[in-house]
Amino acid sequence: MQYRSRSNNSSAAIMSTTDMNMRGKIIFYEDRNFQGRHYECMSDCADMSSYMSRCHSCRVESGCFMVYDRPNYMGNQYFFRRGEYADYMSMMGWRDCIRSCRMIPMYRGSYRMRIYERENFGGMMHECMDDCDNFMDRYRMSDCMSCHVMDGHWLMYEQPHYRGRMMYMRPGEYRSFREMGYGGMRFMSMRRIMDSFY
């Protein structure tokens, strides 16, 4: 099925249902409780400082986003799905505002990731295709220092049972979490970002 937007132009825009569902939209507000100036975002934004000097609340109207407390998708990360976040800094225990965000594309295929005990894909390796709430219990791995995401989008957490700080993993090779700035974190659980989150 297709939807045609009404337009005065002769070339009307056509968009499939799938395309519409995959579009995300997040609105950032300067102050708590959705007050002050706002900035609407429907894609990745590496540095929000050019749009607003501070951000203390946000509303996700569609899709899923990863937000970061430093520019260029660095620093602490948090996963936002559709909903309202009237005072996210108190909720997450952050001291700094959101400085960048990344839209997570909807994905409906298979999931596959290899996790490694050591950097550069060294040490014990396990291939994962579903959620794991505790690396130590399931794999007898006390640490995870690199990974290779073959399929799907994932969240990794520093504590078992999907708790603590997190990191968004999209398809690619991650040879060293330490070199990525996560040297002080030990990832102990992971979860797939499923289409049901949208």
Side-chain angles (χ1 to χ4, degrees), residues 26 28 41 43-49 52-56 58 60 64-80 88-89 92 94-105 153-156 165-171 174 180-182 185 187 193:
I26 186 169
F28 300 101
C41 184
S43 61
D44 296 353
C45 179
D47 189 355
M48 287 179 46
S49 62
M52 53 201 319
S53 60
R54 64 184 189 274
C55 171
H56 288 284
C58 64
V60 179
C64 294
F65 289 82
M66 211 70 199
V67 297
Y68 304 79
D69 67 356
R70 288 171 53 198
N72 299 312
Y73 321 114
M74 301 293 289
N76 292 308
Q77 310 181 25
Y78 205 84
F79 175 72
F80 281 170
Y88 70 85
M89 291 177 72
M92 300 184 299
W94 280 13
R95 280 178 253 157
D96 295 314
C97 298
I98 294 170
R99 298 295 180 194
S100 56
C101 76
R102 177 164 269 154
M103 187 179 74
I104 302 173
H153 296 257
W154 303 72
L155 292 174
M156 293 187 75
R165 290 180 295 170
M166 61 183 76
M167 182 166 64
Y168 166 51
M169 316 295 286
R170 54 188 184 172
Y174 301 84
M180 292 169 60
Y182 300 99
M185 290 176 67
F187 294 104
I193 302 175

Side-chain angles (χ1 to χ4, degrees), residues 85-176:
Y85 303 86
D87 185 8
Y88 70 85
M89 291 177 72
S90 297
M91 178 183 82
M92 300 184 299
W94 280 13
R95 280 178 253 157
D96 295 314
C97 298
I98 294 170
R99 298 295 180 194
S100 56
C101 76
R102 177 164 269 154
M103 187 179 74
I104 302 173
M106 184 180 284
Y107 176 78
R108 289 201 173 100
S110 60
Y111 288 77
R112 195 158 59 105
M113 177 199 284
R114 288 183 183 149
I115 57 174
Y116 297 84
E117 188 178 27
R118 302 280 174 255
E119 293 182 340
N120 294 308
F121 314 129
M124 193 184 311
M125 182 276 286
H126 292 281
E127 187 165 304
C128 315
M129 300 177 75
D130 58 1
D131 300 351
C132 176
D133 65 357
N134 193 319
F135 290 168
M136 189 64 188
D137 286 354
R138 186 183 293 185
Y139 303 122
R140 299 290 175 246
M141 277 180 77
S142 60
D143 210 344
C144 173
M145 300 177 72
S146 59
C147 75
H148 180 194
V149 179
M150 284 85 85
D151 299 302
H153 296 257
W154 303 72
L155 292 174
M156 293 187 75
Y157 298 80
E158 68 172 339
Q159 296 174 20
H161 307 293
Y162 320 118
R163 300 176 65 86
R165 290 180 295 170
M166 61 183 76
M167 182 166 64
Y168 166 51
M169 316 295 286
R170 54 188 184 172
E173 294 184 346
Y174 301 84
R175 293 182 171 274
S176 172

